[in-house]
Amino acid sequence: MIAIGDSLPAVTLGEYNAVEGTCAIGPKQIKVAEEVADKTIVLFAVPGAFTPTCSAQHAPGFVQLADEFKAAGVDEIWCLSVNDAFVMGAWGKELGAAGKIRMIADGDAVFTKATGLELNMTGRGLGLRAARYSMLVKNGVVKELNLEVGGGFKVSDAATILAQVHASP
């Protein structure tokens, strides 16, 4: 499992942003190693877009505190889930995440598997998913990691990682 001090895996993910009144072409490929270079990123992962805790509690906290993250020196906030880019784009639109959070699709679970942060929900109709967590990443290196244990929602929230951002050198 990825740990503090490790680099993020050099994998390719997806992102889809539909712009009103235009013909959207996508999804766009996101090369993680290139996208995180020389940036401070807060990345949080959820087991699934449009799921109850993810939609009602986890993601909205990051939307609400997006300006505070920016003021604290965070270049980008990423929401990652093992969903396709179209689902992540639609969920981001519903959350009002445009300009605040990048909705990143790990459709094949390549990032999730490479980090060892998977949640096996086979038998419950959801298959392999990302565990619920948040992390602070500077220049591609993990500085903080808040992994939820047992399906809870206690340590990966926006306020917790924001406090860690403020405390980080």
Side-chain angles (χ1 to χ4, degrees):
M1 179 169 57
I2 199 166
I4 293 172
D6 291 347
S7 294
L8 293 184
V11 298
T12 301
L13 301 171
E15 182 177 34
Y16 180 76
N17 294 308
V19 178
E20 296 283 333
T22 66
C23 180
I25 299 172
K28 173 180 153 187
Q29 289 191 333
I30 302 297
K31 294 179 188 260
V32 172
E34 293 175 13
E35 292 286 328
V36 299
D38 300 320
K39 291 181 186 172
T40 298
I41 307 284
V42 166
L43 186 155
F44 70 100
V46 297
F50 294 104
T51 58
T53 301
C54 305
S55 292
Q57 297 175 359
H58 204 177
F62 287 90
V63 172
Q64 292 165 356
L65 295 178
D67 291 338
E68 291 184 46
F69 279 105
K70 301 284 185 202
V74 172
D75 296 301
E76 295 177 355
I77 302 168
W78 291 13
C79 176
L80 181 136
S81 186
V82 179
N83 288 109
D84 65 69
F86 300 106
V87 168
M88 292 300 287
W91 190 40
K93 184 176 180 180
E94 181 162 307
L95 290 169
K100 297 178 181 185
I101 298 174
R102 291 182 72 179
M103 305 301 287
I104 307 295
D106 187 14
D108 293 328
V110 293
F111 184 92
T112 298
K113 290 175 188 175
T115 59
L117 295 170
E118 65 266 3
L119 179 63
N120 189 344
M121 299 183 80
T122 303
R124 298 191 335 192
L126 297 172
L128 180 71
R129 298 295 179 133
R132 184 182 308 282
Y133 62 87
S134 63
M135 66 171 66
L136 174 62
V137 179
K138 292 187 177 185
N139 196 27
V141 176
V142 178
K143 300 297 183 181
E144 299 286 347
L145 176 61
N146 307 304
L147 177 62
E148 298 290 356
V149 179
F153 178 59
K154 295 179 176 45
V155 299
S156 64
D157 60 290
T160 296
I161 194 80
L162 180 59
Q164 292 169 330
V165 168
H166 285 298
S168 182

